[in-house]
Amino acid sequence: MGNRGAKFGAAALIPQYLQHLQGRMKEGLKELGQLSAVLHIMEKGLLDTYFQPILQLRTGETVGHEALNRPPSSALFPTTEHFYEFVGRTEQMYKFEQYCRRMSLNRYVERLPEASETSNALIFINVHPGVLDDVRHKSGETLALLKTLGLSPERIVFELTERQAVQDYVGFEKILSYYRHQGFRIAVDDAGSGYNSLKTLVYLKPEFIKLDKSLIRGIHDSREQQELLELVRDYAERSSTRVIAEGIETADELLFLQRAGIEYGQGYGLGRPAHAPVSGMFPPGVLMVPFRGGFKHVSSDR
């Protein structure tokens, strides 16, 4: 009876196991389709490239652009975030990053307005940290491309994404020093969004800190966000780092950041991503601030 009961119990698990296998097979087929789509996008050059302006908040001058590459919308990748999350965990990440960097810089030069051809504006290129220390990376490859395009490495800022990919901060800092020696500069994206971002600032000492849009949204009405902004700003001043506030959408946010002494800004309120690297501008009714004002807390609604 005991053996019969055990056999019956095992038999009852078979449908569950088959269902599990079916689920894994379905997921595997989906990932295969996604990988095929990524390779097709690279082969046919289907990514759209946009350039979003970065402004000097004191004067309104456009000091640079961030290159943004967007895949075509599809059922396999309903959002851009889904697309990049998938690419980041595949063996195609290195090849894809090379492709994006080359395409972004080529399109920047091709689409640059004639009046801006002699500009020294910065170009922010998103880079996965794993690519910079990949053994397949050929030294001088980006420098050769820049020479062909007539761009100097001093204009290029590698904007680090996926900070959790950095495991050995001390070793990675040495890699960044190599690129800095060539003239490139480093930016850390989404600062203020968690512990890892703060650790990255301390170890990697970037030339630019890009404040996460969640910190900027409604900052004029949030005492807690203002206090965190003040901490990051003071740290940046002590470490000779430039601060860029991302996600600026309203005149109130912009005015507060100007008075807080934040040097640079980016967001829909200053300029939406466009196919050509054109200049941004302040929202209507916002004046240029020719001085650094004091930092004053505002009562919070919360």
Side-chain angles (χ1 to χ4, degrees):
M1 183 70 179
N3 289 338
R4 290 179 61 190
K7 290 180 181 178
F8 179 78
L13 293 175
I14 291 176
Q16 297 180 29
Y17 180 67
L18 291 176
Q19 187 176 16
H20 171 72
L21 287 180
Q22 186 180 23
R24 290 192 62 179
M25 184 178 296
K26 185 178 180 181
E27 186 63 28
L29 289 173
K30 178 183 176 182
E31 290 197 359
L32 187 61
Q34 289 175 316
L35 182 59
S36 177
V38 170
L39 295 175
H40 178 72
I41 286 171
M42 285 194 288
E43 181 184 355
K44 300 298 183 182
L46 299 180
L47 285 181
D48 274 338
T49 303
Y50 299 87
F51 301 93
Q52 187 169 29
I54 298 171
L55 272 61
Q56 214 308 342
L57 297 187
R58 186 168 53 85
T59 65
E61 176 190 3
T62 298
V63 298
H65 296 83
E66 179 182 354
L68 303 165
N69 292 299
R70 299 290 181 255
S73 179
S74 68
L76 288 171
F77 302 114
T79 68
T80 298
E81 288 72 23
H82 280 96
F83 178 81
Y84 280 101
E85 188 276 330
F86 174 78
V87 173
R89 55 186 172 86
T90 71
E91 290 296 319
Q92 296 299 318
M93 182 189 71
Y94 177 77
K95 183 179 179 181
F96 180 80
E97 288 266 341
Q98 278 188 313
Y99 162 72
C100 280
R101 192 183 312 176
R102 184 171 57 251
M103 184 182 62
S104 297
L105 292 170
N106 272 295
R107 288 178 174 175
Y108 177 85
V109 172
E110 290 171 0
R111 301 173 185 177
L112 194 66
E114 288 186 14
S116 305
E117 287 182 354
T118 58
S119 167
N120 289 317
L122 299 174
I123 311 163
F124 286 71
I125 303 292
N126 289 291
V127 176
H128 192 291
V131 171
L132 296 181
D133 63 352
D134 194 296
V135 294
R136 292 169 291 182
H137 184 72
K138 296 179 181 179
S139 178
E141 190 172 26
T142 304
L143 283 175
L145 174 61
L146 292 176
K147 185 176 181 180
T148 301
L149 296 174
L151 298 172
S152 68
E154 287 77 15
R155 293 181 61 185
I156 309 301
V157 182
F158 290 146
E159 186 169 325
L160 300 181
T161 61
E162 302 294 335
R163 292 179 305 276
Q164 61 268 30
V166 179
Q167 303 297 327
D168 177 10
Y169 281 89
V170 175
F172 192 68
E173 195 280 328
K174 293 179 181 178
I175 294 171
L176 295 186
S177 295
Y178 167 76
Y179 284 99
R180 287 185 172 112
H181 182 71
Q182 295 178 329
F184 299 102
R185 284 177 272 187
I186 305 298
V188 169
D189 196 17
D190 300 335
S193 61
Y195 168 76
N196 281 343
S197 67
L198 298 178
K199 186 177 180 181
T200 302
L201 299 183
V202 172
Y203 278 95
L204 304 186
K205 304 176 181 64
E207 282 77 17
F208 296 92
I209 296 173
K210 299 193 79 174
L211 297 176
D212 185 61
K213 60 184 179 182
S214 64
L215 174 61
I216 303 304
R217 190 64 39 78
I219 192 169
H220 55 289
D221 282 329
S222 172
R223 181 183 181 91
E224 293 83 358
Q225 290 171 229
Q226 293 166 17
E227 289 174 341
L228 183 53
L229 175 73
E230 185 174 10
L231 288 172
V232 176
R233 185 203 64 193
D234 290 348
Y235 170 81
E237 288 181 349
R238 291 194 301 271
S239 58
S240 300
T241 302
R242 306 292 182 85
V243 175
I244 302 172
E246 291 190 289
I248 300 173
E249 293 193 356
T250 69
D252 287 334
E253 292 166 352
L254 172 59
L255 286 168
F256 183 88
L257 293 166
Q258 287 176 321
R259 296 188 180 114
I262 300 302
E263 193 167 2
Y264 301 114
Q266 179 180 354
Y268 284 4
L270 305 178
R272 289 177 174 268
H275 275 92
V278 296
S279 297
M281 63 180 64
F282 287 159
V286 175
L287 302 175
M288 288 182 277
V289 179
F291 59 89
R292 171 175 170 174
F295 191 98
K296 182 180 180 181
H297 289 308
V298 179
S299 297
S300 173
D301 293 336
R302 294 180 290 149

